[in-house]
Amino acid sequence: MFWSPVVAAAALGAVSVVAAPAASAAGGGIAVMSAAAVASFTPYAKFASAAYCPANKTRTWTCGSNCQATPGFIPHASGGDGDDEQYWYVGYDPTFLEAVVVGHEGTNPHELLPLLTDGNIVRRNLDPSLFPGVPSSVEAHSGFQDAHAKAAKDVLAAVQEALAAHKTSKVILVGHSLGAAIAVLDAIYLPLHLPSSISFTAVTFGLPRIGNSAFADYVDAHAHLSHITNKADPIPTIPGQGLGFAHPNGEKHIDESNAWIACAGHDNPNTECSTGAVPTIFSANLADHDGPYDGVTMGC
């Protein structure tokens, strides 16, 4: 879950008039994904869902059905308290992804501090101590940056440990909602502090907009991202385009028929993509936010 229904509806209503352009001939660039391509995202969804579980559960990989569905996973570290700091974990998956996996929790709507984090939409430059060399034109949501910073150094240390232990050069970053935003920030943070021989892939679910168009361009140039959106979920449409926010490339949208559509470009306005599918609050359905994503519903 990202925001409470009341907060999300208010935010969407405040920006929907200017957030989503109407679908038109300019909203092309879509392609139906194959069943095999869709199925390839299922392990990522299970790992993203597991991130909602408390740190003591992911540290021992005893987090219920999602842990049972990913046997052989070797946890290395976990942290967070689900309130001031989102839960996170780092481990190695030898079975499905053959990579180090970093998972970040989305918002717990029953806790106050994550809701305040989500609502802090003022954009600012990225912290140069965490993101050295990133151009000053790149701006991102203050709340998401604060949430990322709380665990950034601990996650980096755990990733370094896992990479060394398993002699791998692949890192996968996953998350849903607020966790998705943190995962994308990780996807540009970690490469700045690790050898260039390491490859990074971010796969996120229900991703809100994180930054301005320069941020989206920076992600396109420096990260390999797939962000999956579900039907009429309003969260990927906020904060609004009218407030200067933009999505990076890489959207895969689940339409009302449950087909998966690859959507080209930033905020593709085609009605088969999230921006076009949810033009106003009256088109939104917050129940779609948690999924299912190819059968996986987010949550511990």
Side-chain angles (χ1 to χ4, degrees), residues 19-24 27 209 229 231-232 236-237 241 251 253 263 266-280 283:
S24 66
R209 295 189 180 103
T229 57
K231 300 182 180 178
T237 71
Q241 289 174 287
E251 182 186 3
H253 183 68
C263 299
H266 295 182
D267 298 290
N268 192 318
N270 192 291
T271 55
E272 290 295 290
C273 304
S274 179
T275 296
V278 190
T280 73
S283 315

Side-chain angles (χ1 to χ4, degrees), residues 115-241:
L115 296 174
L116 295 176
T117 294
D118 296 340
N120 185 11
I121 66 172
V122 174
R123 295 195 317 274
R124 68 171 190 258
N125 297 130
L126 299 183
D127 181 346
S129 69
L130 296 177
F131 299 91
V134 174
S136 60
S137 59
V138 175
E139 297 176 346
H141 185 293
S142 292
F144 297 160
Q145 289 197 63
D146 292 343
H148 170 263
K150 288 174 181 175
K153 293 180 180 179
D154 290 337
V155 168
L156 172 60
V159 169
Q160 290 172 320
E161 174 192 303
L163 286 169
H166 301 285
K167 309 301 181 185
T168 184
S169 61
K170 294 170 54 181
V171 177
I172 305 295
L173 306 148
V174 297
H176 169 251
S177 201
L178 171 57
I182 298 173
V184 173
L185 289 167
D186 257 357
I188 57 176
Y189 161 70
L190 291 172
L192 295 172
H193 302 274
L194 290 168
S196 59
S197 58
I198 307 301
S199 68
F200 298 86
T201 299
V203 178
T204 68
F205 303 84
L207 176 71
R209 295 189 180 103
I210 304 172
N212 61 359
S213 59
F215 177 89
D217 290 339
Y218 188 89
V219 171
D220 293 343
H222 296 88
H224 185 269
L225 170 66
S226 292
H227 58 104
I228 294 90
T229 57
N230 187 45
K231 300 182 180 178
D233 176 10
I235 300 307
T237 71
I238 54 177
Q241 289 174 287

